[in-house]
Amino acid sequence: MKKAYSLFDFSQKVNYKNEILAGLTVAMTMIPESLSFAILAGFPPLAGLYAAFIAGLVTAVFGGRPGMISGGAGATVIVLIALMRSHGIEYVFAAVALGGVVQIAIGLFKFGKFIRLVPQPVMFGFVNGLAVVIFMSQLEQFKTIVNGQTTWLQGTSLYVMAGLTVLTVGIVLLFSKITKAVPASLVAILVVFILVLVFNIETKTVQDIASVQGGFPPFHIPNIPLSFETFKVIFPYAVIVAAVGLTEGLLTLNLVDEITGTRGNSNRECIAQGSSNILNGFFFGMGGCPMIAQTLVNLSAGSRARLSGIIASLTILVIILFGAPVIGKLPMAALVGVMMMVAITTFEWSSLRIINKMPKHDIFVGILVAVITILLHNLALAVLIGVIVSALVFAWESAKRIRARHFMDAEGVKHYEIYGPLFFGSIATFMEKFDIQNDPNRVIIDFKESRIADMSAIEAVNNLTRKYNELGKVIELKHLSEDCRILLKNAAAVIKVNVIEDPTYKVVS
């Protein structure tokens, strides 16, 4: 028996030590990030930790691939800030739950496969932009609040924070070269933690962000009016939350696929994400999605199975229930150092080495996606724009490839042999290939090396036919593929052309 309930693949060899240590490391890095985003959005701090626990556990067990880590991510939270300020947290919970329903629907209808349409330059831009965002976000921990104003740390506080951060980065770099038996990130966190406790070093800690003390996530039905007006308010936010969450999630899945050399299930991941967000909406969570930074921490710690994600989420719950006094003393410098190393390793340095070998339009797309990601922190928008620009470039390049060869046969019939796709981008060039005034009374267009792709192409053929007919000339189409014939048949109400049916040869028995 290889699988039980299609949840776990028992044929996979699991390194339990790596999985447990990776899970503990992930939990340590996830707590301050979830707290920070919750506070940024104006949510209760525990809403961030509950989201990390719920999303982490559900997607670790039911998600589309092992090794991915989900939690209360900033990508989805930022979308909800406007709703929080205008209508309050109850509407946020409702929007998160409805967003989960949308995500499940996308998974059930198998729309997750469309993530394959994301080109490699978009992936480069997305990953590089995200690496910069992760690094820059850590600089926020070098700030403090004085008299209600946010200012940079100064003097001794700054030097201590910077020194401990550099020490953390140094330990991660050094220890990872000594041995892979224990995650270097976890060792760095523990060493700096012990150093701060033993020498009583005064520095910024987790409890300076917010308290992590609480109980089990309480069941809570969002207290909102059940009306169409309410639906109109929350539905746009729900759709955006679903789109942003799935975009980051499926791109993370693709990234993990590349790193591990295996393949995940995008539609299953959509359903798992949706389920976790529905639970978040009813259990006081701020909503979440896969977290690339924590996923990379997990993979760098040696995890390749689902166990680490389960360990991480359960660790967060245990900390909420019992471990707040200890975790609250964890120095932020250690966590900042680990996340900075994640940013450095996330950046696709290879993209800089091959930039002079890439087509110029691919370089432009990669830089554009990275800039949008860095400036707007909107991953879904950055990827969408990147895909659209890439598609337009592809259409332009394909439009230039349509060609026509013409000749006159012995019967005085002129033949045009078309090469390349006929679609909205190539119809202008296509129309220029014909000498309507000087052509003979019978013209045959051969589509053996071409195909009619869309309504614009049908309209172009229709216009060409009409122009020949106005001069009393006959135009016929030859060697149309089956899908082209169906397309023309479906558009029979708007186009009238003569199609030369190719003979169907049958074997005599």
Side-chain angles (χ1 to χ4, degrees):
M1 181 180 70
K2 289 188 176 183
K3 292 186 179 181
Y5 305 108
S6 299
L7 294 182
F8 298 99
D9 183 359
F10 290 105
S11 65
Q12 180 185 14
K13 186 177 180 180
V14 177
N15 187 320
Y16 289 96
K17 182 197 68 165
N18 281 359
E19 295 297 317
I20 293 172
L21 294 177
L24 294 174
T25 307
V26 167
M28 296 303 102
T29 61
M30 193 184 295
I31 288 173
E33 187 166 341
S34 298
L35 287 172
S36 297
F37 281 120
I39 295 169
L40 172 68
F43 303 152
L46 280 176
L49 296 183
Y50 288 152
F53 162 63
I54 295 169
L57 184 61
V58 172
T59 56
V61 176
F62 298 100
R65 67 151 305 113
M68 273 178 60
I69 300 295
S70 295
T76 53
V77 172
I78 290 173
V79 174
L80 296 168
I81 291 178
L83 181 62
M84 174 67 184
R85 291 174 179 171
S86 62
H87 289 81
I89 196 167
E90 296 295 335
Y91 278 77
V92 168
F93 292 144
V96 167
L98 185 57
V101 174
V102 173
Q103 290 176 326
I104 290 177
I106 290 172
L108 291 176
F109 286 106
K110 301 188 183 301
F111 290 153
K113 60 187 177 184
F114 289 110
I115 196 64
R116 300 173 197 165
L117 297 177
V118 178
Q120 191 61 39
V122 176
M123 282 293 293
F124 275 145
F126 166 76
V127 172
N128 290 345
L130 191 70
V132 174
V133 169
I134 292 172
F135 189 90
M136 296 301 292
S137 66
Q138 301 313 306
L139 298 181
E140 293 297 314
Q141 300 303 333
F142 287 85
K143 296 179 179 179
T144 187
I145 298 176
V146 179
N147 298 326
Q149 298 293 323
T150 301
T151 61
W152 290 94
L153 293 173
Q154 295 180 354
T156 305
S157 299
L158 176 61
Y159 300 143
V160 170
M161 183 79 174
L164 293 175
T165 301
V166 171
L167 176 62
T168 304
V169 171
I171 294 172
V172 172
L173 288 172
L174 181 64
F175 198 82
S176 60
K177 294 179 179 179
I178 296 174
T179 179
K180 302 287 185 182
V182 181
S185 300
L186 182 60
V187 172
I189 291 171
L190 291 176
V191 168
V192 174
F193 188 20
I194 292 171
L195 196 65
V196 168
L197 288 179
V198 170
F199 292 97
N200 197 25
I201 299 173
E202 187 175 343
T203 186
K204 190 176 183 180
T205 61
V206 171
Q207 65 189 8
D208 293 328
I209 300 176
S211 172
V212 295
Q213 181 72 49
F216 196 84
F219 178 73
H220 171 78
I221 298 176
N223 184 20
I224 58 172
L226 297 177
S227 65
F228 183 68
E229 293 300 318
T230 301
F231 179 80
K232 286 197 299 183
V233 170
I234 66 173
F235 183 71
Y237 290 95
V239 171
I240 297 173
V241 164
V244 170
L246 290 185
T247 301
E248 183 166 0
L250 297 181
L251 286 175
T252 304
L253 186 143
N254 269 8
L255 190 62
V256 178
D257 285 353
E258 290 182 13
I259 293 173
T260 61
T262 57
R263 185 168 181 177
N265 187 323
S266 56
N267 294 311
R268 178 171 168 177
E269 182 62 31
C270 294
I271 296 172
Q273 280 192 48
S275 302
S276 73
N277 276 328
I278 290 175
L279 288 175
N280 265 308
F282 287 97
F283 282 90
F284 216 75
M286 67 181 184
C289 68
M291 306 171 77
I292 292 187
Q294 277 67 30
T295 297
L296 292 171
V297 168
N298 189 43
L299 296 178
S300 65
S303 170
R304 292 296 182 271
R306 298 181 182 275
L307 183 59
S308 62
I310 297 172
I311 293 293
S313 58
L314 292 178
T315 299
I316 290 173
L317 179 62
V318 169
I319 288 171
I320 294 171
L321 298 176
F322 311 109
V326 176
I327 297 301
K329 297 178 181 179
L330 202 65
M332 285 302 302
L335 304 177
V336 167
V338 168
M339 296 306 293
M340 283 185 171
M341 277 305 302
V342 168
I344 293 170
T345 54
T346 300
F347 194 91
E348 287 280 2
W349 299 101
S350 61
S351 64
L352 299 181
R353 292 195 298 271
I354 65 173
I355 194 167
N356 61 336
K357 300 179 178 66
M358 296 169 63
K360 291 181 180 179
H361 55 78
D362 283 346
I363 297 172
F364 172 75
V365 169
I367 294 174
L368 177 66
V369 172
V371 169
I372 295 174
T373 302
I374 293 167
L375 295 181
L376 302 182
H377 292 200
N378 192 328
L379 305 179
L381 179 62
V383 172
L384 178 62
I385 292 176
V387 171
I388 290 174
V389 173
S390 296
L392 291 175
V393 170
F394 174 77
W396 177 259
E397 293 296 322
S398 299
K400 294 190 297 185
R401 289 186 171 86
I402 193 160
R403 293 172 289 115
R405 188 171 72 91
H406 57 82
F407 63 91
M408 198 83 71
D409 65 14
E411 298 177 357
V413 178
K414 190 168 184 179
H415 295 254
Y416 286 91
E417 294 178 344
I418 308 300
Y419 299 85
L422 183 57
F423 68 110
F424 68 90
S426 60
I427 56 174
T429 307
F430 171 76
M431 296 295 287
E432 294 171 358
K433 303 296 182 183
F434 298 90
D435 188 2
I436 300 173
Q437 293 293 333
N438 300 318
D439 278 347
N441 290 333
R442 188 179 176 210
V443 174
I444 295 177
I445 306 178
D446 192 336
F447 281 92
K448 185 177 181 179
E449 301 295 335
S450 179
R451 67 183 300 272
I452 297 172
D454 59 9
M455 191 63 202
S456 297
I458 292 175
E459 182 61 25
V461 174
N462 188 36
N463 289 337
L464 192 65
T465 303
R466 178 176 51 78
K467 290 178 180 180
Y468 274 104
N469 286 340
E470 288 174 353
L471 298 176
K473 300 176 182 181
V474 176
I475 183 172
E476 297 173 304
L477 310 184
K478 185 180 180 182
H479 285 143
L480 285 172
S481 61
E482 185 63 30
D483 58 336
C484 292
R485 281 196 218 129
I486 293 172
L487 206 58
L488 289 176
K489 185 178 179 181
N490 292 340
V494 294
I495 180 172
K496 295 186 182 299
V497 296
N498 295 319
V499 177
I500 302 176
E501 292 287 352
D502 296 313
T504 301
Y505 299 99
K506 297 182 179 179
V507 178
V508 177
S509 56

